[in-house]
Every structure is written in structure tokens, then in C-alpha cells.
Amino acid sequence: VNDKIKQGMICENIVYNALIDYENQGKERYFKMKKRVSILLVMCLVVCLLSACGKDNKNDKEKPTKKDNSTEVDNDISDENELYEQLFDINNPVSIQIKISDEELDKIQEDYEKYDRKNSKSPIYRMAEKVVISIGDEVYEIEEVGIRLKGNTSRVPVYDEETGEPNLSHYRLSFNETFDNEEYYGEDAKVWNSEEERQARKDRRFATLKGMEVKWNRCYDDSHIREIYANDMFRDMGVLSQHVNLCSLGINGENYGVVNIYEPVDKIFIERNLPESEQGGDLYKCGWTFRPVNYIKSSVTYGIEDKAAGKFYNYDLKTNEKDSDYSTLINMLDVLNKNDVSKEDLESIMDTDYLVKFLAVSYFVGNPDDIRNNYNNHYLYFLKDSGKAIFIPYDNDRCFGMTYDWNPEGAGMTDVSPYSEDCESTGRSQVNPVITKTILGDDAYFKDAYADALKKVAESDWLTDAKFNEYYETAKQNYESVVVPSIEFANADNDMFKFSLEGKFTSGDDANMSFSEYAKRILEAYKEG
């Protein structure tokens, strides 16, 4: 409103000065003209005030805008879905530039230290002044975006605690953070002018998303596309999987190199991928805690994660937090842990057609940190209408021969049988009943269906150099010029950031295998059974 008043005053001064010059042409004509202009100015000022106070204007700033401010992004769902498709299309070069003050970066550092001392991780989003997202030739600006560190064993502080040098870190962005939680922000908590304005921020989305994950290439994937490729492979084979894309990341004008961006697995993800009748079920994130998630009822925990209190669960509920009774999960665990479980029992708690696809693709992806090999890195969702469980893969940064810094099995998972009765990452026998009671053993109820699913993947073009190299050449063309960061990081070797199909950044047992070599070896292991 003050800006509109100032504009009116400036306009009046310009007109008045013009009229002074005009005065020499005759007093009478001058006063008549001044009276008319004054009336017009009052009318213009009223219109400006009304437009500044209007409801539509209040919400406009909560929409991401084109950088030239000529056109606002339409919040129509069809347009947002189109933007989502563009964001995760590997053919479109994507850039995210984050502007954040040193004070807010220091707060992220302090948050890390505070919660790390409690063996927890900070839930607090600090405020980035502006995030500029480029998709091809289109550029969008979003003001006041939440940002925090992300990761379990991969989480590191913003700055190295000994040298003070910056670290490459995983981040989570939030487009709808309100910054008004006094417990987190204290005196700095944001005060909203109205509940309507606050709600507009809560409703703010970019490309239908409330936020996104941003992860650096900590396994030094020289192709930069293996996790994208794995997730696309899952989807093509009928398994729900989050979209991933490459992105050039910059923070305060410095190039942080090429990173991956991920859509969150959340309520929006479920609504995008499932029919309405199957939406609204319980979604759990199944990840690493002090006890592995192995679906043995006596050894697992479930609940709603509370980072502030340091409470974490094997099954972290992500939907229906206020009204879930956990009954579908409890029933699943009860059935899986029966001494005598029938085929009908298993079919009543899991979509077994979906399960064999999930396990077959997972085998060829070769992640040693997944549901089968480390009881880790997946989501569990219960279809609303049927109550049956489906599994959603997650965090496949170690796939297709990526063994840098961790190679538990010794050969990049390429000498493991699809019917192995071991849990490769623990060196112990397989005890996960989701595996043991479905596909292992001569009498396994779904062994034949699993064999058919394996055959379909093996005969597809996903394990061919031609398909993989097509992805690679696209990524290289879009990002090779920005792949090397502009600054040195305490926890990364800038010399290892490049585009290559060779795979071997390092020597020895933990050297990353090329995709071509991995595909040849895993197909041999599959044929040997």
C-alpha cells in the first residue's frame, strides 16, 4: 500500500511541475486544468489502494514466478503437472541456484551440531532468501524457501568442524515452510499478517511438489545417471518409483557441480501414481536405524519419527499420522511371522504380482543396501481399498556396480544368485520373511512368478549398453561444462568429478565398475541361477 501511495505522489509531482510550466500560458486555463487533474489523481490513488489490498494480490507472491516477472506460473493442476514432467525429463537441463545468507548457513551448522550431540538430526528448515530454478529456457523464482541438511550416515555439517572448509552436503528443500514455529525459531519466528496469508504459503507448490531432495554424487558415479536409470527401469517394469533427474547446483554464486534431485515419496506421490480407490492408505518409510527392518515382529518398531526428541522407528509413518491405528502393518507382521503361512495368507497382505516384479528388478539393480541385502531403503504402502502392501524402492545411489567406499560382497553384487539365501550386506543367512516365504526354497509359493519376472527384465533393453549410453550422452551434453565445482570441498575430491563410462575413479576392490561390465556379469550370474 505504501508503495502505491508513493507512486501516486510521484505522479502528482510530475503533473504539477508540468502545470507550473503551463501556467505561463494563462492562469485561468491553468486552474481549470489543475482541478481536473487533481480529481483524476484522487481516483487513480483510490484504485491503487484497492488493488493493493485485494485478495488476489495478497496470494500472488506465494506463487513461483518467471524470472522476468512477465508471467506468473499458473496454479492450474494441468499446468503444474506439465511443469513436473519437464522438471524430471532428462532431456531438459535443470539448474537450481540458492541464495542464502551466511547467518542462515551458520544456523544450519548449529542445528547439525546440536542434534548430532543427541544422536539425532535437525528437523529445522532455515530460510533461503530465494531459489531460482531453471528448466531448459524457462526460469522460475521462489522466495523464502526452507532448507535443511539430509541423510543418515551420509549427513555432514555445512562446514568441516576442524578446518572450517565447506562440505558437499545433501539438502532437503521445502516450498511451503512457514518459519513460524517458536520452538524452533524463537524470537526470529515469522509473524504472518493473516491466517489466509499463512495458508497461502502452506499451499504453495512448485511443479505440484511441496519440496524436493538434493543429493551430491558421494559415490562418484562417473556416468551421473545410474540412479536415474534404475528408477526409470523400476517404473517401466511396473514398480512405483520416485522420479529423479540431474541438476546443476549453485549456492550464493558458487558452482557446486552436478547433483541429483528427487521427488518426495509422500501423499502427493501416492495420489499421482495410484487410482483414487487405493489412495489414503498408510505409508511408511523403512530405513536404517539401530535395528534393521527385517519384518520380524519381535525386533521392529513403528511410529511417527520425532527428530527433536530423537525418536526413530523402523517403520516411520508418513501419512494418516493423526488417525492411523497401524492395523494393516500389525496384521502384515502377524501373518508373515506365522509358523505355517499359506499362499492365501500371503496374498491377503501383499500384492504378490507386484512383489515379484519389485524383487526381480531389485536383483538386477544390485543395490547392497536394499530390502533384501540390508533390510533398508524402501517405502511400504498399504493400498486403501484392498489393504494389501506394495513396496517402493528408495535411495539406489549404490547400483549397477557402484562400490566406491563400500563393497560388502566383494564383486559389486555380480556373483550373487537371484535365489541366494544370504543377506549379502550382513554376511548372514536371509531371515526377512518377505523374501524367505515368497521366492526362496523349492516349495516357495511365488518362485515361478519370480522366475518369469526375472526373465522379463533380463530380456529387456535395460541391461544393454545402447540404452544406458543414450541416457549418458544426454546427461553429458547438458552438464559436462558444470560438472566440476568452482570451490574445493573438505569432504570431496574435485578431480573425481567428470563424465566417463569407464567407472574406475579408484583402484582396488572398491573401484566403481562400469555399467557395461556390471550388466555382462549380472546376466551371467542370473543364467547360472
Side-chain angles (χ1 to χ4, degrees):
V1 172
N2 289 335
D3 289 341
K4 298 298 182 181
I5 292 174
K6 289 177 182 178
Q7 291 171 16
M9 293 173 65
I10 292 171
C11 182
E12 183 177 14
N13 286 335
I14 293 172
V15 174
Y16 185 79
N17 290 334
L19 289 172
I20 290 295
D21 294 336
Y22 188 66
E23 182 179 5
N24 295 329
Q25 300 180 24
K27 295 280 186 180
E28 183 176 352
R29 291 173 62 189
Y30 161 72
F31 283 112
K32 286 181 180 180
M33 180 64 71
K34 182 177 180 181
K35 182 177 180 180
R36 293 173 184 170
V37 170
S38 296
I39 293 171
L40 288 172
L41 285 172
V42 170
M43 293 174 65
C44 289
L45 186 57
V46 170
V47 171
C48 287
L49 288 170
L50 290 174
S51 65
C53 296
K55 177 180 178 181
D56 291 340
N57 183 274
K58 181 186 298 181
N59 292 334
D60 280 348
K61 64 181 180 181
E62 298 308 332
K63 302 176 185 177
T65 57
K66 295 278 187 70
K67 190 172 182 180
D68 60 8
N69 292 322
S70 61
T71 310
E72 291 176 343
V73 176
D74 194 334
N75 275 355
D76 181 83
I77 192 65
S78 60
D79 294 329
E80 285 291 287
N81 281 328
E82 182 179 350
L83 187 57
Y84 165 87
E85 296 293 339
Q86 294 170 356
L87 179 64
F88 291 106
D89 183 347
I90 195 172
N91 295 293
N92 294 328
V94 177
S95 167
I96 295 180
Q97 302 297 317
I98 299 172
K99 181 181 180 183
I100 182 171
S101 68
D102 290 340
E103 290 77 13
E104 290 297 294
L105 287 174
D106 289 342
K107 289 176 183 177
I108 297 176
Q109 178 83 1
E110 292 166 3
D111 293 339
Y112 170 86
E113 295 170 354
K114 173 183 175 181
Y115 285 91
D116 189 57
R117 288 193 293 268
K118 299 190 295 184
N119 293 318
S120 187
K121 46 190 176 181
S122 172
I124 305 173
Y125 284 99
R126 296 302 176 179
M127 185 187 292
E129 298 170 30
K130 184 182 295 185
V131 170
V132 180
I133 301 177
S134 303
I135 307 173
D137 295 330
E138 300 294 341
V139 183
Y140 305 93
E141 290 186 350
I142 315 172
E143 297 182 352
E144 295 187 359
V145 174
I147 180 172
R148 64 170 173 81
L149 294 172
K150 178 173 177 56
N152 287 317
T153 58
S154 62
R155 189 176 67 259
V156 294
V158 179
Y159 306 105
D160 183 81
E161 293 167 307
E162 293 184 3
T163 67
E165 295 176 344
N167 281 319
L168 269 171
S169 302
H170 299 329
Y171 291 102
R172 172 85 180 226
L173 301 180
S174 173
F175 302 129
N176 69 335
E177 179 57 46
T178 57
F179 306 102
D180 57 356
N181 185 330
E182 293 185 1
E183 179 184 354
Y184 293 161
Y185 304 107
E187 295 179 355
D188 295 330
K190 185 177 179 68
V191 178
W192 293 90
N193 294 326
S194 67
E195 182 57 34
E196 182 182 14
E197 189 178 51
R198 181 180 184 275
Q199 189 59 48
R201 173 63 59 84
K202 291 292 291 182
D203 293 339
R204 187 171 70 176
R205 306 286 185 268
F206 178 76
T208 76
L209 307 176
K210 294 181 181 179
M212 68 174 66
E213 300 168 4
V214 180
K215 298 182 183 180
W216 73 282
N217 186 16
R218 66 185 291 264
C219 295
Y220 296 107
D221 175 14
D222 52 353
S223 72
H224 296 270
I225 54 99
R226 296 194 207 205
E227 191 169 6
I228 298 170
Y229 196 77
N231 283 31
D232 285 2
M233 179 176 169
F234 271 112
R235 280 195 305 278
D236 187 56
M237 292 295 167
V239 178
L240 269 62
S241 180
Q242 65 185 155
H243 275 85
V244 187
N245 199 7
L246 289 178
C247 169
S248 169
L249 176 66
I251 298 180
N252 292 335
E254 294 286 357
N255 174 28
Y256 274 51
V258 178
V259 300
N260 277 355
I261 56 172
Y262 307 73
E263 68 168 318
V265 179
D266 56 9
K267 182 179 178 181
I268 294 174
F269 175 89
I270 296 299
E271 292 174 347
R272 184 191 311 282
N273 289 283
L274 291 173
E276 187 174 354
S277 62
E278 299 294 7
Q279 298 171 16
D282 287 354
L283 173 70
Y284 295 89
K285 183 178 181 181
C286 307
W288 183 89
T289 65
F290 65 95
R291 288 180 178 177
V293 179
N294 55 17
Y295 291 88
I296 295 178
K297 188 174 182 180
S298 61
S299 66
V300 299
T301 59
Y302 52 86
I304 300 171
E305 179 182 271
D306 184 349
K307 296 184 182 72
K311 292 182 179 179
F312 301 96
Y313 303 92
N314 299 130
Y315 303 93
D316 174 22
L317 183 65
K318 293 298 186 181
T319 58
N320 305 324
E321 293 98 326
K322 294 182 179 179
D323 53 15
S324 175
D325 60 4
Y326 304 97
S327 58
T328 49
L329 174 61
I330 294 170
N331 179 59
M332 179 184 185
L333 294 173
D334 285 340
V335 172
L336 285 173
N337 287 270
K338 288 171 61 175
N339 290 329
D340 247 349
V341 60
S342 68
K343 180 180 180 182
E344 290 72 26
D345 287 336
L346 294 173
E347 289 174 332
S348 73
I349 59 168
M350 296 184 290
D351 184 331
T352 54
D353 290 338
Y354 178 99
L355 173 66
V356 294
K357 297 175 186 176
F358 169 72
L359 294 178
V361 180
S362 294
Y363 168 74
F364 283 106
V365 166
N367 183 1
D369 201 20
D370 69 356
I371 186 175
R372 185 169 180 173
N373 297 295
N374 204 28
Y375 309 133
N376 197 13
N377 286 334
H378 62 283
Y379 281 80
L380 174 67
Y381 179 71
F382 290 93
L383 301 167
K384 181 67 173 177
D385 191 40
S386 66
K388 296 182 180 182
I390 61 172
F391 302 87
I392 302 168
Y394 177 72
D395 201 11
N396 281 300
D397 58 342
R398 297 186 182 277
C399 63
F400 299 125
M402 294 297 300
T403 57
Y404 175 77
D405 200 34
W406 189 50
N407 189 6
E409 183 273 329
M413 304 297 292
T414 57
D415 60 358
V416 177
S417 164
Y419 303 99
S420 170
E421 297 189 358
D422 294 329
C423 175
E424 303 301 335
S425 293
T426 67
R428 301 172 184 170
S429 296
Q430 182 64 252
V431 296
N432 184 349
V434 171
I435 311 297
T436 60
K437 296 187 177 182
T438 58
I439 64 171
L440 299 185
D442 294 336
D443 298 326
Y445 297 122
F446 308 102
K447 188 173 183 178
D448 290 342
Y450 176 56
D452 290 341
L454 287 168
K455 185 173 185 289
K456 183 176 180 181
V457 179
E459 293 178 350
S460 74
D461 60 354
W462 285 102
L463 295 171
T464 65
D465 289 349
K467 191 173 186 70
F468 185 83
N469 291 353
E470 182 180 347
Y471 274 66
Y472 170 77
E473 291 299 337
T474 299
K476 183 178 180 181
Q477 179 179 347
N478 286 338
Y479 298 102
E480 188 173 27
S481 64
V482 291
V483 69
V484 179
S486 62
I487 55 177
E488 295 291 330
F489 293 97
N491 64 330
D493 184 349
N494 284 19
D495 292 337
M496 297 170 75
F497 291 113
K498 59 182 178 180
F499 273 91
S500 171
L501 285 172
E502 295 178 0
K504 294 187 177 181
F505 278 122
T506 59
S507 61
D509 291 338
D510 66 348
N512 289 335
M513 191 180 299
S514 71
F515 173 86
S516 181
E517 182 68 17
Y518 173 85
K520 181 180 71 173
R521 291 190 185 186
I522 198 68
L523 284 170
E524 289 174 355
Y526 158 69
K527 291 173 184 177
E528 291 173 0

